[in-house]
Each structure stands twice: as structure tokens, then as C-alpha cells.
Amino acid sequence: MQDRHQGWVALLAIAAAFGLGLHFIHLRHTEEATRACRANLEQIQAAKEQFALDHDGVGPASFAELIPAYLAVEPTCPKAGTYTLGSLTNAPVCSFAGHGTPEE
């Protein structure tokens, strides 16, 4: 009976360690996606500012005005959020919760 109990304890400990490992892998992937998204937002803001310098202080009305001269392609959120360009004075934003703006 004692051996059986120890076997279950060992099995539960292994399952808990596996679950904890999966949690940390998911957390790391989420953090990497957030960093990549925020880097995209910074790139979009820089492209908007460069566009404005070249167009007498007027910002772009759409991503189409930024491609290909200021952005090679329209950036995409790694978590499938959508980017809103925003005005020249407002930072672009991502629709995916937690990705926010480049300043966050």
C-alpha cells in the first residue's frame, strides 16, 4: 500500500512539473509576441514621422501611403491583432489586448 501511495505522489509531482513547464513556455511565447508587436508599432510610428517630414508636416491617411517608401510591407501582429495607424500626434495601436502602444 505504501509503495502504491508513493507511486501516485511521484506521478502527481511529474504531472505538476510538466504543467508548470508548459505554463512557462506559454508565458515566454506571449512575451516574445508582445515585444514583436511593440517593435512593429514603433516602426509604424517612425514611418509616420518620416512621411510627415517629407510631406510638409502632414501625416499619412493610410498604410498604403507608407508602403513601400517608408515600410517595406504592412506590419502584422504576431497574435493576429490589427493595427490602427492613428494621427500623426497619436501613436499607432494594436487591437490585441496587452500589446498597447510603443510607449507602454
Side-chain angles (χ1 to χ4, degrees):
M1 185 75 158
Q2 182 84 5
D3 289 337
R4 186 180 237 182
H5 178 69
Q6 287 176 343
W8 280 109
V9 170
L11 183 62
L12 287 174
I14 291 169
F18 181 72
L20 191 58
L22 287 177
H23 172 72
F24 283 119
I25 289 169
H26 173 73
L27 184 60
R28 182 175 178 191
H29 177 69
T30 299
E31 290 172 351
E32 288 172 359
T34 300
R35 278 194 299 274
C37 184
R38 289 184 178 168
N40 286 344
L41 292 170
E42 290 171 359
Q43 187 178 36
I44 294 167
Q45 183 62 30
K48 287 172 31 179
E49 292 170 1
Q50 186 61 49
F51 180 94
L53 287 173
D54 294 343
H55 293 88
D56 299 319
V58 176
S62 68
F63 278 103
E65 291 185 289
L66 297 175
I67 301 166
Y70 304 95
L71 293 171
V73 296
E74 185 172 339
T76 56
C77 172
K79 291 287 192 172
T82 55
Y83 294 131
T84 302
L85 192 59
S87 68
L88 185 59
T89 56
N90 293 324
V93 295
C94 178
S95 65
F96 192 84
H99 285 191
T101 62
E103 292 83 34
E104 290 180 343

